[in-house]
Amino acid sequence: MAQTTSVLEIADAELLGPRGAARVQRRRRYSSERKGIVWRTILVALVALIVIFPLYWMLVVAFSPRGEVFEPGLRLWPSTLTLENFAKVFDRVPVLDWFGNSVVIGGFVTALTVIVNLLAGYAFARLRFRGRNGVFLLGLATMMIPVQAIMVAQFKLVSGLGIYGTYWGVILPGAAAAFGIFLARQFFLSIPDEVIEAARIDGAGQLRIFVQVVLPLCKPLIAVLTLLTLLGSWNDFAWPLIALKDNELFTLPIGLLYLKNQTSPDYNAIMALSLIAVLPMVLLFVFFQRYFVQGFARSGIK
């Protein structure tokens, strides 16, 4: 069949001359592009399936009766939908308190980090001062230092300030991020100089330019910084485990470990609490996905 089509295309080209040759080229190009789209769609679907399956499996185990996960075979759907696992979680541990702690810590860390990152990014992008590039490169270099390497110094600092075992002991050490400053700087560099110069000619100072001119253009950037910071703070485990000592102040990731070590492993209950911890971040990303993509695109990061 392919040979017959090729012969017909060659005959069409010979009969119609240059027009026939151009028509044959367009057909081949269209066929090649269509095959490429099909293969890319299949690849994206496979990758999406691999990424989504763990979340789906968490959902299945959370709504399955206890012990069903250990039965032979692979069940892709619960034999009986049950809310028993969620009831056990709320009876055993203070889920609402842990959820509230995660919201408070995540909210304060996100607000402080976004404000600091925006101000620092604007300064590195638009202000001229001695040593600007050196300080910026030094800040980027801190991204190569593992978090575990500075935890002892952070613990001494928090203890010296008298905030160990409190919310602020978790919030203040995470009040800035080198990657967020880098992302903000790249975004501010993409704003046309004419916009800022026009505001400066009108008599606006740096603070007014930043608040009234630059910030309204930064919705995608603010969305990216908010999502990344909130996600990192919400899932942070090591530092809150060190900085907090009372069960009432635990966050959800620490609560998962507490639930796991409380009794014999109840994987259905653990998955139920994991679903409670994961669902807010998934919903947040779904609603702000458009701004998230725009923020990375505007900052020039591929």
Side-chain angles (χ1 to χ4, degrees):
M1 183 65 180
Q3 292 180 354
T4 304
T5 304
S6 179
V7 171
L8 291 175
E9 290 177 348
I10 294 173
D12 190 11
E14 291 178 350
L15 289 174
L16 297 179
R19 293 184 178 179
R23 182 184 301 173
V24 171
Q25 291 296 330
R26 285 196 298 269
R27 289 178 181 174
R28 290 178 178 176
R29 191 181 303 113
Y30 175 75
S31 178
S32 177
E33 291 177 354
R34 186 170 58 181
K35 290 180 181 179
I37 293 174
V38 171
W39 283 112
R40 285 195 295 270
T41 303
I42 294 175
L43 179 61
V44 170
L46 290 176
V47 173
L49 182 62
I50 294 173
V51 173
I52 294 175
F53 184 77
L55 183 62
Y56 172 75
W57 183 247
M58 181 193 305
L59 187 69
V60 171
V61 177
F63 285 96
S64 298
R66 184 178 182 181
E68 188 172 284
V69 67
F70 297 106
E71 294 181 0
L74 179 63
R75 293 181 178 271
L76 296 179
W77 187 257
S79 60
T80 303
L81 289 175
T82 178
L83 297 176
E84 178 185 0
N85 302 312
F86 294 91
K88 288 190 295 185
V89 167
F90 280 92
D91 289 339
R92 293 181 183 178
V93 294
V95 178
L96 295 179
D97 292 339
W98 293 347
F99 189 90
N101 295 335
S102 295
V103 171
V104 171
I105 292 175
F108 274 97
V109 169
T110 301
L112 290 176
T113 303
V114 170
I115 292 173
V116 172
N117 289 347
L118 289 175
L119 292 173
Y122 181 79
F124 284 123
R126 295 297 176 179
L127 301 184
R128 300 291 183 266
F129 56 90
R130 182 177 299 179
R132 182 187 65 170
N133 293 333
V135 174
F136 178 69
L137 292 176
L138 184 62
L140 289 183
T142 61
M143 295 175 60
M144 296 183 290
I145 302 176
V147 178
Q148 293 77 9
I150 61 175
M151 281 187 174
V152 175
Q154 282 186 344
F155 179 78
K156 290 183 177 180
L157 179 62
V158 168
S159 298
L161 293 174
I163 55 176
Y164 171 69
T166 66
Y167 285 148
W168 292 109
V170 181
I171 294 171
L172 290 182
F179 179 74
I181 295 174
F182 167 74
L183 192 67
R185 175 183 178 271
Q186 297 302 112
F187 188 93
F188 290 136
L189 287 176
S190 67
I191 297 177
D193 295 335
E194 292 79 6
V195 176
I196 297 177
E197 289 299 330
R200 186 173 291 114
I201 292 174
D202 290 338
Q206 289 293 349
L207 182 60
R208 185 178 177 186
I209 292 174
F210 177 75
V211 174
Q212 297 185 359
V213 178
V214 176
L215 279 186
L217 303 175
C218 295
K219 291 181 180 179
L221 172 63
I222 295 174
V224 170
L225 293 177
T226 300
L227 286 174
L228 292 179
T229 306
L230 184 57
L231 181 62
S233 176
W234 188 271
N235 294 329
D236 192 13
F237 172 79
W239 179 243
L241 181 63
I242 295 173
L244 299 175
K245 57 184 178 180
D246 296 330
N247 294 352
E248 292 78 9
L249 298 180
F250 282 173
T251 57
L252 285 172
I254 306 176
L256 281 169
L257 178 65
Y258 180 85
L259 179 63
K260 180 178 179 296
N261 296 333
Q262 187 182 32
T263 56
S264 58
D266 186 350
Y267 292 104
N268 297 89
I270 293 174
M271 288 300 178
L273 183 56
S274 300
L275 187 62
I276 295 174
V278 168
L279 191 59
M281 295 298 101
V282 174
L283 295 177
L284 194 66
F285 178 79
V286 169
F287 285 116
F288 291 95
Q289 180 182 6
R290 179 168 62 92
Y291 294 106
F292 188 79
V293 175
Q294 288 179 2
F296 274 109
R298 288 280 301 276
S299 63
I301 297 178
K302 306 299 181 183

